[in-house]
Amino acid sequence: MANTETTLKECLASIEGATGVALVDYTSGMALGTMGGSKTFDLNVAAAGNTDVVRAKMRTMEHLGLKGGIEDILITLTDQYHLIRLLTGRGGNGLFLYLALDAKRANLAMARHQLKKIEEDLEV
């Protein structure tokens, strides 16, 4: 089992095109840990904003009566991919991993696969 810091480092090191990653509590909107980002890309701001995305999707699913769980949410920009993966494992309830990717360097399918494997090893 990997701790939060180790997991975030692994995301940046092993996922091609990763530029930033955060572990986020979507009940509070707070980032529990971040790695990467830049002066112009504040991961704490992204964490809070993506909390709203997760909450909105959960409300929509509830209103529609959809019973399945959210695996991940993908937002595509002209030059970036933003991947939100809700944690389902032990101790992960209410948390998600947020991953920002450079679209020119990333393989989205591989990033999703690797993020799922990393989630399985995460100890919260």
Side-chain angles (χ1 to χ4, degrees):
M1 293 289 179
N3 68 22
T4 301
E5 184 178 348
T6 302
T7 297
L8 298 179
K9 283 181 183 177
E10 183 180 347
C11 283
L12 282 184
S14 68
I15 300 176
E16 184 69 28
T19 60
V21 62
L23 177 64
V24 185
D25 176 349
Y26 65 78
T27 58
S28 69
M30 302 273 304
L32 304 177
T34 64
M35 189 122 341
S38 67
K39 290 181 183 177
T40 59
F41 189 73
D42 186 331
L43 285 167
N44 289 300
V45 172
N50 284 304
T51 294
D52 292 337
V53 171
V54 170
R55 289 177 185 165
K57 187 58 186 173
M58 291 178 138
R59 273 192 312 272
T60 302
M61 289 177 62
E62 183 179 331
H63 292 309
L64 292 171
L66 300 176
K67 302 296 181 202
I70 300 171
E71 284 186 23
D72 52 38
I73 299 169
L74 172 64
I75 300 167
T76 59
L77 306 177
T78 54
D79 60 349
Q80 293 179 347
Y81 299 132
H82 294 231
L83 190 57
I84 300 166
R85 177 147 190 99
L86 276 69
L87 302 185
T88 57
R90 184 179 80 233
N93 195 25
L95 302 177
F96 67 87
L97 281 168
Y98 165 69
L99 179 65
L101 299 155
D102 178 341
K104 291 179 180 82
R105 297 183 312 137
N107 177 321
L108 187 54
M110 283 302 297
R112 289 183 69 218
H113 176 73
Q114 289 173 285
L115 198 56
K116 183 177 181 177
K117 286 183 66 176
I118 289 168
E119 173 199 359
E120 292 169 359
D121 293 336
L122 178 63
E123 182 179 293
V124 182

